[in-house]
Each structure stands twice: as C-alpha cells, then as structure tokens.
Amino acid sequence: MHRRTFLQYVLALGAIHALPTWCRTTLAADRPALPIPNLLQADAAGKVLLRIQQGQTIFKGKPAKTFGYNSNLLGPALKFRQDQQVTIALQNGLQTPTTVHWHGLEIPGVADGGPQSIIGPGTTREVKFALKQQAATCWYHPHVHGQTGRQVAMGLAGLVIIEDSPSSALKLPNQWGKDDVPLVIQDKRFTATGEIDYRLEIMQAAVGWFGDTLLCNGVEYPRHTPPRGWLRLRLLNGCNARSLNLSTSDNRPFYVIASDGGLLPEPVKLMKLPMLSGERFEIMVDTSDGKAFDLVTLPVRQMGMTLSPFDRSCPVVRIEPLQQTATGTLPDALIPLPPLPSLTGLTTRSLQLQMDPRLDHQGMQELMRTYGSQAMAGMMMGGGGMQHGMQQGMNSEKSGMTGMSGMPMPAGEHNEQKPLDFHTGNRINGKAFDMNHPSFHVPLNRYERWIISSEGDMMLHPFHIHGTQFRILSENGKPPAPHRQGWKDMVWVEGSRSEVLVYFRYEAPATNTYMAHCHLLEHEDTGMMLGFTTG
Ligand code: C2O
Ligand code: CU
Ligand code: CU
C-alpha cells in the first residue's frame, strides 16, 4: 500500500477520533444552543401584548416562511400569578384569520379563544382573566376551525406558566432557561425549497400530519448546559399528531412532578414517559454526576409515526452539565391532591368518536402507498381481529364498505351518490363539528362523568376538553398510571373507552362555547370536535 493511500484510509476511517480532543470539543460546540423562549409578564397595569406575525426561520440551512407570537417562530412563555388580573391584547398581523386559545386554562368561554373567537387580519382582540387554578405549565395556540393544524405547523404555539405560593414554597428549580427549562417538542417536514410542507389531504385527515425532523424549541437537536444538580424540564408535546415516548440516552431515570394541570402529590420515578400531542409534563432529572446525555424519544406504535428517523431512538436535546452546582431540590411531597368525589348520582355523558370508515380506509391506503408497510405501525402483521379487518380493508375490492375495524358501514352512508368529504369525515356522536349548534349544556360547579370512546376504529385519539382540569377515572379501559392521576386536560383514547371527571367554574355562552375534541389536529380540523355551553 502506498503511504499516501494508507494515510487517506486512516483519515477516512477515524476522521473524528483522529482529531485532537480540543478539536472534538469544538465540533460538539457547533450544535446549536437550545433557544429559550422569553418569559413575558404583564406590565404594572396588568397588560400583555401578543402580536401574531409572519416571518422567516432557517431550517436545515434554508429560509422558510413561518408564524410566531412577538417573533418569527413560536412565542414567549407568558407567566401569570394566581389571582393576577391580566388583559391580553391579541394583534393579528397575519393575512389570515386566527384565534388564540388558552389550552389548560380555566377561564370564561369569551376569553377561551375557540373557533368562534376569530381575530380578523389586521385587527386586535382583547381578553381579560384572573386565574384561580393552581401552578401549572399550559400553552396557547390557534383554534380556527379547519386551519388549526396548518397554523400550529407554521409555528404558532407558546407556553403559559402559572405560579402560586404553595408551589413557590417547594424550592423546585426556578432559574428560567438554566435549571427550569421549557422544551416545546414538535416534528416538521419541509419541501425541496425549504418551506414547511403542511398538507391536509385524505391521508392526514386519517392519521394526522407528521414530519421527518424533530425540533426542540424550534431547532434540531440543540444542546443545553444547565448547572449540575436537579434539572426541571417543562415538556410540551406540541406535535400536530405525533405521540412521543421520552427517555434518556444513558438510561438515567427521571421524576414526573407535574401533569397538564399542575403538580402531583409526589414525584413519580419513570424510565419512559409517553406523551400525547397536546400534553405537558414537568420532569426532574439529576445531572449531579456532570455527565452529558440526550433526552430522546423512543419509537411509538402509532400509524405513520414509525418512519425514519423515528424507527429508533431519536435525540431531542443534548444536556451538558456545567461545573457550577444547581440549587433546586426535589421534595418527597409536592402538592396534595384531593380524593376523588363519590360517583353516585353524577350526570354521565357519552362522547363516541367516529371516523368515516371510508376515510379510515382510504387514508390508510394512501399511507401504505406513499410510505409502505413500515408506516403501518405493525397493523398489517400478526393475526389479531383488528389486523384482520385491516387486511380485508386493504386487499378486497369491496373494501370501501369496511373500515379498519372491519365494521360495516353505517346504513345511511352506504350510498354511492354521496362522495366522501374528508373535511367532515371525523365525528363525535355521529356529527362533524358544527360551530352554530352546541351539542349540550353543562351546569356550573358540579362534577360530571364523561365517557369518551373510540371503539370501532384503530387510531389514536388524544382527547382534550376546554374550560376544565379533570381527573381520569379510567384510561383506554385501564386504571390511569400514577403520573396520570393528577390534574389533566388530555386523555388517551385508542380503540377503547376512557372516563373522566369534569367540573366547570365559568360560563361559556353559545356565542363562545367550550370545545371537546381530538387533539390530533387533523382529526379536529376535519370534524372530531363539538362545542358545549356551560352556565
Ligand atoms: Cu389545545 Cu382545543 O385545544
Ligand atoms: Cu384547549
Ligand atoms: Cu383523533
């Protein structure tokens, strides 16, 4: 072997490891720093301004048109103290109507920002509220019917941090962006020219819009350098449709301290944390050993979500602890959770989630055609009953008559004359969302038991209810996991039924109803939503 060839060979083989250590460190430092959203508090007069605007963001070296609140992408974290009276001006600088919904906040219907609370292009809407609920990590995002998925994908999402005295007394990490770190996790896909490639077609109406790039606070696989010790991560699964399954690259455990609506009674130690789209959890990780590791998301069994790079552990953010030590602590006890009230005599309501079997079937056919069987999350394999229905739906000529579950088409729709309009292909209790007809009325200040079922299809439905923090009685036919027994506004429904205990404190009139809907945004946008009044 010629000496030159040998050298080239060595360089090619061990390029990185052949470099001196200082040089490798430089390479690691090239990873972008984790962007931290600004903490925005109301001014002395209690006022906050959110300007909804269009801008540009660079992804993978190319500029893309994006939307943001007071910025080009995403938005500030709004911090409210319990009982603080705030007035928020929502200024729409986009060329399209939008709304600002406060996901997880218990506020009156007129402030809730549902699909009826349109802010026209160039106009401003003002909302006022004072929060009674406890400390929590919530979020805000648009809710224009039929456009929610697109506007969120374009970048409209931000966090709401609620603080109260009992939570402040706990001495949890609270240095914003250092040991108290918000992580907005979202997947995206881009066109060849670098634009955000949002589509709502039959495939997305069935399985949701999903991407091939994972972003954390808007950038791909950034690094964060916290002081060493307890690190508090406020996690939001801000994906349109994708479920996550968070874990650490070195298998270090972490402790869940809060769910959607606030702190748990005690930390729950976990190695893996599944998160539905729309859910928040706060976790604590011990970084006192000073070793670097990744927060990762592990593969999930959800249709469409099994494609590369999500077919293996995928990094979210790299954590590289500094020398300096952190001061936050992890108490053994957090915030007491009231016992569940008695269920006898409660009003019960049933919400049956439904996908038009033709949508279910044609959407999956399209998924299969576009991405092959790897996208099917194993649904084609094996011999269970559900798989049977699926196989039949995929392979037989009369398959237009069967959904994925193999259930027959509802009689009224067994009609060749009436083509499928996927924009109304998803329903609750037989009806696609109708803004002008609230589905029912709920009295204030009492518990109700809501049963949400998706028996009859195989898709995942992350279900959400406005105006309330609820308790989960059963989740997809099973008792809820310990970290899902606290305050929640999201519940998992997938081929079975979930029961939640809801309670409303504020009025929602017919002109500004609360919503109950699937938070897979493309299911929501194509009808799997209802409005209801309270008072
Ligand atoms: Cu986060 Cu009605 O939505
Ligand atoms: Cu909401
Ligand atoms: Cu759904």
Coordinates of all heavy atoms in Angstrom, one line a residue, residues 91-177:
Q91 N -53.0 40.9 18.7 CA -53.0 41.7 17.5 C -52.6 40.8 16.3 O -51.5 40.2 16.3 CB -51.8 42.7 17.7 CG -52.0 44.0 17.0 CD -50.8 44.9 17.3 OE1 -49.7 44.7 16.7 NE2 -50.9 45.7 18.3
N92 N -53.6 40.6 15.4 CA -53.3 39.7 14.3 C -52.6 40.4 13.1 O -53.3 41.1 12.3 CB -54.7 39.1 13.8 CG -54.4 38.1 12.7 OD1 -53.3 37.8 12.3 ND2 -55.5 37.5 12.2
G93 N -51.4 40.2 13.0 CA -50.6 40.8 11.9 C -50.5 39.8 10.7 O -49.7 40.1 9.7
L94 N -51.2 38.7 10.7 CA -51.2 37.8 9.6 C -52.2 38.2 8.5 O -53.0 39.1 8.8 CB -51.6 36.4 10.0 CG -50.8 35.7 11.2 CD1 -51.4 34.4 11.5 CD2 -49.3 35.6 10.7
Q95 N -52.1 37.6 7.4 CA -53.1 37.9 6.3 C -54.3 37.0 6.4 O -55.1 36.9 5.4 CB -52.4 37.9 5.0 CG -51.7 39.2 4.7 CD -50.6 39.1 3.7 OE1 -50.6 38.2 2.9 NE2 -49.6 39.9 3.8
T96 N -54.4 36.2 7.5 CA -55.5 35.2 7.6 C -56.1 35.3 9.0 O -55.4 35.7 9.9 CB -54.8 33.9 7.3 OG1 -55.8 32.9 7.2 CG2 -53.8 33.5 8.3
P97 N -57.3 34.9 9.1 CA -57.9 35.0 10.5 C -57.2 34.0 11.4 O -56.7 32.9 10.9 CB -59.4 34.5 10.3 CG -59.6 34.5 8.8 CD -58.3 34.5 8.1
T98 N -57.2 34.3 12.7 CA -56.7 33.3 13.6 C -57.5 33.5 14.9 O -58.4 34.3 15.0 CB -55.2 33.5 13.9 OG1 -54.7 32.4 14.6 CG2 -54.9 34.8 14.6
T99 N -57.2 32.6 15.9 CA -57.7 32.8 17.3 C -56.6 32.5 18.2 O -55.6 31.8 17.8 CB -58.9 31.9 17.6 OG1 -58.4 30.6 18.0 CG2 -59.9 31.8 16.5
V100 N -56.7 32.9 19.5 CA -55.7 32.4 20.5 C -56.4 31.7 21.6 O -57.2 32.3 22.3 CB -54.9 33.6 21.0 CG1 -53.9 33.1 22.1 CG2 -54.1 34.3 19.9
H101 N -56.2 30.4 21.6 CA -56.8 29.6 22.6 C -55.8 29.3 23.7 O -54.7 29.0 23.5 CB -57.3 28.2 22.0 CG -57.6 27.2 23.1 ND1 -58.6 27.4 24.0 CD2 -57.2 26.0 23.3 CE1 -58.7 26.4 24.8 NE2 -57.8 25.5 24.4
W102 N -56.3 29.3 25.0 CA -55.5 29.1 26.2 C -55.7 27.7 26.7 O -56.7 27.4 27.4 CB -55.9 30.2 27.2 CG -55.8 31.5 26.7 CD1 -56.8 32.3 26.2 CD2 -54.6 32.3 26.5 NE1 -56.4 33.5 25.7 CE2 -55.0 33.5 25.9 CE3 -53.3 32.1 26.8 CZ2 -54.1 34.5 25.6 CZ3 -52.4 33.1 26.5 CH2 -52.8 34.3 25.9
H103 N -54.9 26.8 26.2 CA -55.1 25.4 26.4 C -54.7 25.0 27.9 O -53.6 25.2 28.3 CB -54.2 24.6 25.4 CG -54.3 23.1 25.6 ND1 -54.5 22.2 24.5 CD2 -54.3 22.3 26.7 CE1 -54.5 21.0 24.9 NE2 -54.4 21.0 26.2
G104 N -55.7 24.6 28.6 CA -55.5 24.2 30.0 C -55.9 25.2 31.0 O -56.0 24.9 32.2
L105 N -56.2 26.4 30.5 CA -56.6 27.5 31.5 C -58.1 27.4 31.7 O -58.9 27.2 30.8 CB -56.3 28.9 30.9 CG -54.9 29.2 30.7 CD1 -54.7 30.7 30.6 CD2 -53.9 28.6 31.7
E106 N -58.5 27.5 33.0 CA -59.9 27.6 33.4 C -60.3 29.1 33.4 O -60.0 29.8 34.3 CB -60.1 27.0 34.8 CG -59.8 25.5 34.7 CD -59.9 24.8 36.1 OE1 -59.7 25.5 37.1 OE2 -60.2 23.6 36.2
I107 N -60.9 29.5 32.3 CA -61.3 30.9 32.1 C -62.6 30.9 31.3 O -63.0 29.9 30.7 CB -60.2 31.7 31.2 CG1 -59.9 30.9 30.0 CG2 -59.0 31.9 32.1 CD1 -58.9 31.7 29.1
P108 N -63.4 32.0 31.4 CA -64.7 32.0 30.8 C -64.6 31.8 29.3 O -63.6 32.1 28.6 CB -65.2 33.4 31.1 CG -64.5 33.9 32.3 CD -63.1 33.2 32.2
G109 N -65.7 31.3 28.7 CA -65.8 31.0 27.3 C -65.4 32.2 26.4 O -64.8 32.0 25.4
V110 N -65.8 33.4 26.8 CA -65.5 34.6 26.0 C -64.0 34.9 25.9 O -63.5 35.5 25.0 CB -66.2 35.9 26.5 CG1 -67.7 35.8 26.3 CG2 -65.8 36.1 28.0
A111 N -63.2 34.3 26.8 CA -61.7 34.5 26.8 C -61.0 33.3 26.3 O -59.8 33.4 26.0 CB -61.2 34.8 28.2
D112 N -61.7 32.2 26.1 CA -61.1 30.9 25.8 C -60.5 30.8 24.4 O -59.6 30.0 24.2 CB -62.2 29.8 26.0 CG -61.6 28.4 25.9 OD1 -60.7 28.1 26.7 OD2 -62.1 27.7 25.0
G113 N -60.9 31.6 23.5 CA -60.3 31.6 22.1 C -60.6 30.4 21.2 O -59.8 30.1 20.4
G114 N -61.8 29.9 21.4 CA -62.2 28.8 20.5 C -62.5 29.3 19.1 O -62.3 30.5 18.8
P115 N -63.0 28.4 18.2 CA -63.1 28.7 16.8 C -64.1 29.9 16.5 O -64.0 30.4 15.4 CB -63.7 27.4 16.2 CG -63.6 26.4 17.2 CD -63.3 27.0 18.6
Q116 N -64.9 30.2 17.5 CA -65.8 31.3 17.2 C -65.2 32.7 17.5 O -65.7 33.7 17.1 CB -67.1 31.2 18.1 CG -67.9 30.0 17.8 CD -68.8 29.6 18.9 OE1 -68.4 29.3 20.0 NE2 -70.1 29.5 18.7
S117 N -64.1 32.7 18.2 CA -63.4 33.9 18.7 C -62.4 34.4 17.7 O -61.2 34.6 18.0 CB -62.8 33.7 20.0 OG -63.7 33.2 20.9
I118 N -62.9 34.6 16.4 CA -62.0 35.0 15.3 C -61.4 36.4 15.5 O -62.1 37.3 15.9 CB -62.8 34.9 14.0 CG1 -63.1 33.4 13.7 CG2 -62.1 35.6 12.9 CD1 -61.9 32.6 13.2
I119 N -60.1 36.5 15.2 CA -59.4 37.8 15.1 C -59.1 38.0 13.7 O -58.2 37.2 13.1 CB -58.1 37.8 16.0 CG1 -58.4 37.2 17.4 CG2 -57.6 39.2 16.1 CD1 -57.1 36.8 18.1
G120 N -59.7 38.9 13.0 CA -59.5 39.1 11.6 C -58.1 39.6 11.3 O -57.5 40.2 12.2
P121 N -57.7 39.5 10.1 CA -56.3 40.0 9.7 C -56.3 41.5 10.0 O -57.3 42.2 9.7 CB -56.2 39.8 8.2 CG -57.3 38.8 7.9 CD -58.3 38.8 9.0
G122 N -55.3 42.0 10.6 CA -55.1 43.4 10.9 C -56.0 43.9 12.1 O -56.0 45.1 12.3
T123 N -56.7 43.1 12.8 CA -57.5 43.5 13.9 C -56.9 43.0 15.2 O -56.0 42.1 15.3 CB -58.9 43.1 13.8 OG1 -59.0 41.7 14.0 CG2 -59.5 43.5 12.5
T124 N -57.4 43.6 16.3 CA -56.9 43.2 17.7 C -58.1 42.8 18.5 O -59.2 43.4 18.4 CB -56.2 44.4 18.3 OG1 -55.1 44.8 17.5 CG2 -55.7 44.1 19.7
R125 N -57.9 41.8 19.3 CA -58.9 41.3 20.3 C -58.3 41.4 21.6 O -57.2 41.0 21.8 CB -59.4 39.9 19.9 CG -60.5 39.4 20.8 CD -60.8 37.9 20.4 NE -61.7 37.3 21.3 CZ -63.0 37.2 21.1 NH1 -63.5 37.6 19.9 NH2 -63.8 36.6 22.0
E126 N -59.1 41.8 22.6 CA -58.6 41.9 24.0 C -59.3 40.9 24.8 O -60.5 40.8 24.8 CB -58.8 43.3 24.5 CG -57.7 43.8 25.4 CD -57.9 45.2 25.8 OE1 -59.0 45.5 26.5 OE2 -57.1 46.1 25.5
V127 N -58.5 40.1 25.6 CA -59.2 39.2 26.6 C -58.6 39.5 28.0 O -57.5 40.0 28.1 CB -58.9 37.7 26.2 CG1 -59.6 37.3 24.9 CG2 -57.5 37.3 26.2
K128 N -59.5 39.3 29.0 CA -59.1 39.5 30.4 C -59.5 38.3 31.2 O -60.5 37.7 31.0 CB -60.0 40.7 30.9 CG -59.8 42.0 30.4 CD -60.9 43.0 31.0 CE -61.1 44.2 30.2 NZ -60.0 45.1 30.2
F129 N -58.6 38.0 32.1 CA -58.9 36.9 33.1 C -58.0 37.0 34.3 O -57.0 37.7 34.3 CB -58.9 35.5 32.5 CG -57.6 35.2 31.7 CD1 -56.5 34.9 32.4 CD2 -57.6 35.2 30.3 CE1 -55.3 34.5 31.7 CE2 -56.5 34.8 29.6 CZ -55.3 34.5 30.3
A130 N -58.4 36.4 35.4 CA -57.6 36.2 36.6 C -57.7 34.7 36.9 O -58.8 34.2 37.0 CB -58.1 37.0 37.7
L131 N -56.6 34.0 37.0 CA -56.6 32.6 37.1 C -56.8 32.2 38.6 O -56.1 32.7 39.5 CB -55.3 32.0 36.6 CG -55.1 32.2 35.1 CD1 -53.7 31.8 34.7 CD2 -56.1 31.6 34.2
K132 N -57.7 31.2 38.8 CA -57.9 30.7 40.2 C -57.1 29.3 40.3 O -56.9 28.9 41.4 CB -59.4 30.4 40.5 CG -60.2 31.7 40.5 CD -60.0 32.4 41.8 CE -60.7 33.8 41.8 NZ -59.9 34.8 42.5
Q133 N -56.8 28.7 39.2 CA -56.3 27.4 39.2 C -54.8 27.4 39.7 O -54.2 28.5 39.8 CB -56.3 26.8 37.8 CG -55.4 27.4 36.8 CD -55.8 27.0 35.4 OE1 -56.4 27.8 34.7 NE2 -55.3 25.8 34.9
Q134 N -54.3 26.2 40.1 CA -53.0 26.1 40.7 C -51.9 26.2 39.7 O -52.1 26.2 38.5 CB -52.9 24.8 41.5 CG -53.0 23.6 40.6 CD -52.9 22.3 41.4 OE1 -52.1 22.2 42.2 NE2 -53.8 21.4 41.1
A135 N -50.7 26.3 40.2 CA -49.5 26.4 39.4 C -49.4 25.3 38.4 O -49.7 24.1 38.7 CB -48.2 26.4 40.2
A136 N -49.1 25.6 37.1 CA -49.1 24.6 36.1 C -48.3 25.1 34.8 O -48.1 26.3 34.7 CB -50.5 24.2 35.7
T137 N -48.0 24.2 33.9 CA -47.5 24.6 32.6 C -48.6 24.3 31.6 O -48.9 23.2 31.4 CB -46.2 23.7 32.3 OG1 -45.3 23.9 33.3 CG2 -45.6 24.1 31.0
C138 N -49.1 25.4 31.0 CA -50.2 25.2 30.0 C -49.6 25.8 28.7 O -48.4 26.1 28.6 CB -51.4 25.9 30.5 SG -52.1 25.1 31.9
W139 N -50.5 26.0 27.7 CA -50.0 26.6 26.5 C -51.0 27.3 25.7 O -52.2 27.3 26.1 CB -49.2 25.5 25.6 CG -50.0 24.4 25.1 CD1 -50.7 23.4 25.8 CD2 -50.0 23.9 23.7 NE1 -51.1 22.4 24.9 CE2 -50.7 22.7 23.6 CE3 -49.4 24.5 22.5 CZ2 -50.9 22.0 22.4 CZ3 -49.6 23.8 21.3 CH2 -50.4 22.6 21.3
Y140 N -50.6 28.0 24.7 CA -51.6 28.8 23.8 C -51.3 28.5 22.4 O -50.1 28.3 22.0 CB -51.6 30.3 24.1 CG -50.3 31.0 24.0 CD1 -50.0 31.7 22.8 CD2 -49.3 31.0 25.0 CE1 -48.8 32.4 22.6 CE2 -48.1 31.7 24.8 CZ -47.9 32.4 23.6 OH -46.7 33.0 23.5
H141 N -52.3 28.5 21.6 CA -52.2 28.1 20.1 C -53.5 28.5 19.4 O -54.5 28.8 20.0 CB -51.9 26.6 20.0 CG -53.0 25.7 20.4 ND1 -54.1 25.5 19.7 CD2 -53.1 24.9 21.5 CE1 -54.9 24.6 20.4 NE2 -54.3 24.3 21.5
P142 N -53.4 28.6 18.1 CA -54.6 29.0 17.3 C -55.7 27.9 17.3 O -55.4 26.7 17.6 CB -54.1 29.2 15.9 CG -52.7 28.9 15.9 CD -52.3 28.3 17.2
H143 N -56.9 28.2 17.0 CA -58.0 27.3 17.0 C -59.1 27.6 16.0 O -60.3 27.5 16.2 CB -58.7 27.3 18.4 CG -59.1 26.0 19.0 ND1 -60.0 25.2 18.3 CD2 -58.8 25.4 20.1 CE1 -60.2 24.1 19.1 NE2 -59.4 24.2 20.2
V144 N -58.6 28.1 14.8 CA -59.5 28.4 13.7 C -60.0 27.1 13.1 O -59.2 26.3 12.7 CB -58.8 29.2 12.6 CG1 -59.8 29.6 11.5 CG2 -58.2 30.4 13.2
H145 N -61.3 26.9 13.0 CA -61.8 25.6 12.5 C -61.3 25.3 11.1 O -61.5 26.1 10.2 CB -63.3 25.4 12.6 CG -63.7 24.0 12.2 ND1 -63.1 22.9 12.9 CD2 -64.5 23.5 11.3 CE1 -63.6 21.8 12.3 NE2 -64.4 22.1 11.4
G146 N -60.7 24.2 10.9 CA -60.1 23.8 9.6 C -58.7 24.2 9.3 O -58.1 23.8 8.4
Q147 N -58.2 25.2 10.2 CA -56.9 25.8 9.9 C -56.0 25.6 11.1 O -54.8 26.0 11.1 CB -57.1 27.3 9.7 CG -57.8 27.6 8.5 CD -57.0 27.3 7.2 OE1 -55.8 27.4 7.1 NE2 -57.8 26.7 6.2
T148 N -56.4 25.0 12.2 CA -55.6 24.8 13.4 C -54.3 24.1 13.1 O -53.2 24.5 13.5 CB -56.4 24.1 14.5 OG1 -57.5 25.0 14.8 CG2 -55.6 24.0 15.8
G149 N -54.4 23.0 12.4 CA -53.2 22.2 12.1 C -52.2 23.0 11.3 O -51.0 23.0 11.6
R150 N -52.7 23.7 10.3 CA -51.8 24.5 9.5 C -51.1 25.6 10.3 O -49.9 25.8 10.2 CB -52.5 25.1 8.3 CG -51.7 26.0 7.5 CD -52.5 26.6 6.3 NE -52.9 25.6 5.4 CZ -52.2 25.1 4.4 NH1 -50.9 25.5 4.2 NH2 -52.6 24.1 3.6
Q151 N -51.9 26.3 11.1 CA -51.3 27.4 11.8 C -50.3 27.0 12.9 O -49.3 27.7 13.2 CB -52.4 28.3 12.4 CG -53.2 29.0 11.2 CD -54.2 30.1 11.7 OE1 -54.2 30.4 12.9 NE2 -54.9 30.7 10.8
V152 N -50.6 25.9 13.5 CA -49.7 25.4 14.5 C -48.4 24.9 13.8 O -47.3 25.2 14.3 CB -50.3 24.2 15.4 CG1 -49.2 23.5 16.3 CG2 -51.4 24.7 16.3
A153 N -48.5 24.2 12.7 CA -47.4 23.7 12.0 C -46.5 24.9 11.5 O -45.3 24.8 11.4 CB -47.8 22.9 10.8
M154 N -47.1 26.0 11.2 CA -46.4 27.2 10.8 C -45.6 27.9 11.9 O -44.8 28.8 11.7 CB -47.3 28.2 10.1 CG -47.9 27.8 8.8 SD -46.6 27.6 7.5 CE -46.1 29.3 7.2
G155 N -45.9 27.5 13.1 CA -45.1 28.0 14.3 C -45.9 28.6 15.4 O -45.3 29.1 16.4
L156 N -47.2 28.6 15.3 CA -48.0 29.3 16.4 C -48.2 28.4 17.6 O -49.1 27.5 17.6 CB -49.3 29.8 15.8 CG -49.1 31.0 14.8 CD1 -50.5 31.5 14.3 CD2 -48.4 32.2 15.4
A157 N -47.4 28.6 18.6 CA -47.6 27.9 19.9 C -46.7 28.6 20.9 O -45.6 29.0 20.6 CB -47.1 26.4 19.7
G158 N -47.1 28.7 22.1 CA -46.3 29.2 23.2 C -46.8 28.6 24.6 O -47.9 28.1 24.6
L159 N -46.0 28.8 25.6 CA -46.3 28.3 26.9 C -46.9 29.3 27.8 O -46.7 30.5 27.6 CB -45.0 27.7 27.6 CG -44.4 26.5 26.9 CD1 -43.1 26.2 27.6 CD2 -45.3 25.3 27.0
V160 N -47.7 28.8 28.7 CA -48.2 29.7 29.8 C -47.7 29.0 31.1 O -47.9 27.8 31.3 CB -49.8 29.7 29.8 CG1 -50.3 30.4 31.1 CG2 -50.3 30.3 28.6
I161 N -47.1 29.8 31.9 CA -46.6 29.3 33.2 C -47.4 30.0 34.3 O -47.5 31.2 34.4 CB -45.1 29.7 33.4 CG1 -44.2 29.4 32.2 CG2 -44.6 29.1 34.7 CD1 -44.0 27.9 32.0
I162 N -48.1 29.2 35.1 CA -48.9 29.7 36.2 C -48.1 29.5 37.5 O -47.6 28.4 37.7 CB -50.3 29.1 36.3 CG1 -51.0 29.1 35.0 CG2 -51.2 29.8 37.4 CD1 -52.2 28.2 34.9
E163 N -48.0 30.5 38.3 CA -47.3 30.3 39.6 C -48.3 30.6 40.8 O -49.2 31.4 40.7 CB -46.2 31.3 39.7 CG -45.0 30.9 38.8 CD -43.7 31.6 39.2 OE1 -43.7 32.7 39.7 OE2 -42.7 30.9 39.0
D164 N -48.1 29.9 41.9 CA -48.8 30.2 43.1 C -47.9 30.0 44.3 O -46.8 29.5 44.2 CB -50.1 29.3 43.2 CG -49.8 27.8 43.3 OD1 -48.6 27.4 43.5 OD2 -50.7 27.0 43.2
S165 N -48.3 30.4 45.5 CA -47.4 30.4 46.6 C -47.1 29.0 47.1 O -45.9 28.7 47.4 CB -48.0 31.1 47.8 OG -48.7 32.2 47.4
P166 N -48.0 28.0 47.2 CA -47.6 26.7 47.6 C -46.5 26.1 46.7 O -45.6 25.4 47.2 CB -48.9 25.8 47.5 CG -50.0 26.8 47.5 CD -49.5 28.1 46.9
S167 N -46.6 26.3 45.4 CA -45.6 25.7 44.5 C -44.2 26.4 44.7 O -43.2 25.8 44.6 CB -46.0 25.7 43.1 OG -46.0 27.0 42.5
S168 N -44.3 27.8 44.9 CA -43.0 28.5 45.0 C -42.3 28.1 46.3 O -41.1 28.1 46.4 CB -43.3 30.0 45.1 OG -44.0 30.4 43.9
A169 N -43.1 27.7 47.3 CA -42.5 27.3 48.6 C -41.7 26.0 48.5 O -41.0 25.7 49.4 CB -43.6 27.2 49.7
L170 N -41.9 25.3 47.4 CA -41.3 24.0 47.3 C -39.8 24.0 47.0 O -39.1 23.0 47.1 CB -42.0 23.1 46.3 CG -43.4 22.6 46.7 CD1 -44.1 21.9 45.5 CD2 -43.3 21.6 47.8
K171 N -39.3 25.1 46.6 CA -37.9 25.2 46.2 C -37.5 24.3 45.1 O -36.4 23.8 45.0 CB -37.0 24.9 47.5 CG -37.3 25.8 48.6 CD -36.5 27.2 48.5 CE -36.9 28.1 49.6 NZ -38.2 28.8 49.4
L172 N -38.4 24.1 44.2 CA -38.1 23.4 42.9 C -37.2 24.4 42.1 O -37.2 25.6 42.3 CB -39.4 23.1 42.1 CG -40.3 22.1 42.8 CD1 -41.7 22.2 42.1 CD2 -39.7 20.7 42.6
P173 N -36.4 23.8 41.1 CA -35.6 24.7 40.3 C -36.4 25.8 39.7 O -37.5 25.5 39.1 CB -35.0 23.7 39.3 CG -35.1 22.4 39.9 CD -36.3 22.4 40.8
N174 N -36.0 27.0 39.7 CA -36.8 28.1 39.1 C -36.0 29.2 38.4 O -36.4 30.3 38.2 CB -37.7 28.7 40.2 CG -36.9 29.5 41.2 OD1 -35.7 29.4 41.2 ND2 -37.6 30.2 42.0
Q175 N -34.7 28.8 38.0 CA -34.0 29.8 37.2 C -34.3 29.5 35.7 O -33.8 28.6 35.1 CB -32.5 29.6 37.4 CG -32.0 29.8 38.8 CD -30.6 29.3 38.9 OE1 -29.7 30.0 38.4 NE2 -30.3 28.2 39.5
W176 N -35.1 30.4 35.2 CA -35.7 30.2 33.8 C -34.5 30.1 32.8 O -33.6 30.9 32.7 CB -36.6 31.4 33.5 CG -37.2 31.3 32.1 CD1 -36.9 32.0 31.0 CD2 -38.3 30.4 31.8 NE1 -37.8 31.6 30.0 CE2 -38.6 30.6 30.5 CE3 -39.0 29.4 32.6 CZ2 -39.7 29.9 29.8 CZ3 -40.1 28.7 31.9 CH2 -40.4 29.0 30.6
G177 N -34.6 29.0 32.0 CA -33.7 28.8 31.0 C -32.3 28.2 31.5 O -31.4 28.0 30.7

